[in-house]
Structures are given as structure tokens and as C-alpha cells.
């Protein structure tokens, strides 16, 4: 297991298009998190899963955003009808149940909406 | 809600010298965890050091140590014998004891100069 993997690394899309990102967590981690990071800022929480259940969503996650984690393994984050304000780095992280040991982050997917 | 503030947007230090990055936080919780994460340019975020609020002893990891002042709600990071590889963005983060979400500060960009 080489850590948390995210695909793609970079995505350029036209405004109004839909995009989907994938995250593969560390296999023994049952918790998975999505964060958004804009340039020069700290990451902001979007949502988190414990196994396949989505247990918490931020107000940042508008109706255009949806996340899934089927079977409690990989996760996808979809953004519909993208807007220029969606341009950011989307970070995925995973952790064991004892999450206070900290997360393991992936390298992120950088989205540019033109 | 918790807030995390890093008052130093950028800092620089000469190689082999010591530098301290500041972090303050605001919370009404008594049980929580604090973290410092490092994000090198174009690379993934990695955990540097963590501190449990109920522990009075400051955490240490090799060249990295913290000064945790619970009453003052301060959590600074000291990097000793700075190395060129320490050049990165550093983020302070907070997690409630019974929570799962990390709240990040805005980050400090550290440049280690040869």
C-alpha cells in the first residue's frame, strides 16, 4: 500500500461541465475525508465518510457537489455545472478510527475551470 | 466553532539555524488535539508533529518541537538545525477530542536559505 492516491492530478475544464475525481485511501483506513484548498490558504473541510456512510457535510458542499464511497473503499467527488470559483486543489485524506493520530493526505487534484 | 490563526504568512531562516512558527487557536473545548502539517511545493501534506491537549509535556519529533501553552491557546512549532528540505508551507490544525474534522490555519510559508 503506497498511501492515498488521487486521480487525476490535474483537470482543466470549461465552465458548466461536470467533473469527477477519485480517491483511493489506505486500505486499512475506514475513514475518508475531502478537503478543498485554494491558493495560499489552508484546506477547508468538505465531507467525510466512515466506511460507506457519509457522516458529515460542510456548508461549503453546495448542491452541485456530491460524494460517494461505495462499498467503503474508494471515493468519488463530482462537481456538476462547474464555476470558476470551483478552481482549487481538492485533497483527499484517510485515517483509522482513532483519527486523532492525524490523517494521511493524498497529493490532491488541481481543478482549473476556464 | 473553532478558529486557527497563523499570524506569519512568510518566514525565512538560514540553513542550520532555528526558527519558530506561531499558531493560536480559539475553542471552548477542553479535550482536543493540535497538529502541524508540512506541505512542500507541489507535494502532498505530511504530518510533522501532534499534541494532545491533556498532556502538559511538549511533543518532540527529532528537530521539530512544539511549545504548547494551553491557557494562552498557543501552539508554536520550533524547527532546529533548519535544512533546505524544510522549505514548505506549514499548517497548524485543530481537532476536537470527539471530533473528526481538522480545522486549519492559513499557513506560513517557510524558506530555508543556504
Amino acid at each position: 500500500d503506497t498511501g492515498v492516491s488521487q486521480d487525476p492530478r490535474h483537470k482543466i475544464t470549461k465552465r458548466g461541465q461536470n467533473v469527477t475525481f477519485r480517491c483511493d485511501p489506505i486500505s486499512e483506513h475506514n475513514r475518508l475525508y475531502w478537503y478543498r484548498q485554494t491558493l495560499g490558504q489552508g484546506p477547508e473541510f468538505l465531507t467525510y465518510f466512515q466506511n460507506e456512510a457519509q457522516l458529515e457535510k460542510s456548508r461549503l458542499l453546495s448542491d452541485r457537489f456530491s460524494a460517494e464511497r461505495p462499498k467503503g473503499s474508494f471515493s468519488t467527488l463530482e462537481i456538476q455545472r462547474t464555476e470558476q470559483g470551483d478552481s482549487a486543489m481538492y485533497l483527499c485524506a484517510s485515517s483509522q478510527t482513532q483519527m486523532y493520530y492525524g490523517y494521511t493526505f493524498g497529493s490532491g487534484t488541481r481543478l482549473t475551470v476556464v | 466553532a473553532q478558529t486557527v490563526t497563523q499570524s506569519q504568512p512568510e518566514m525565512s531562516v538560514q540553513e542550520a539555524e532555528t526558527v519558530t512558527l506561531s499558531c493560536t487557536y480559539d475553542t471552548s473545548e477542553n479535550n482536543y488535539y493540535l497538529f502541524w502539517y508540512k506541505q512542500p511545493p507541489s507535494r502532498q501534506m505530511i504530518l510533522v508533529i501532534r499534541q494532545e491537549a491533556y498532556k502538559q509535556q511538549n511533543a518532540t519529533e527529532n528537530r521539530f518541537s512544539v511549545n504548547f501553552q494551553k491557557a494562552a491557546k498557543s501552539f508554536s512549532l520550533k524547527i532546529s538545525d533548519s535544512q533546505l528540505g524544510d522549505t514548505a508551507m506549514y499548517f497548524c490544525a485543530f481537532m476536537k477530542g470527539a471530533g473528526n474534522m481538522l480545522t486549519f490555519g492559513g499557513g506560513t510559508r517557510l524558506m530555508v536559505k543556504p
Side-chain angles (χ1 to χ4, degrees), chain B residues 27-58:
Chain B
T27 185
S28 58
E29 302 285 329
N30 192 49
N31 182 27
Y32 52 87
Y33 303 88
L34 296 163
F35 304 85
W36 278 98
Y37 278 87
K38 169 185 177 181
Q39 189 176 40
S42 302
R43 294 182 61 186
Q44 70 191 93
M45 194 170 305
I46 58 174
L47 179 65
V48 174
I49 197 166
R50 61 183 287 271
Q51 173 82 41
E52 295 95 326
Y54 63 84
K55 287 187 177 179
Q56 293 187 340
Q57 186 174 5
N58 290 323

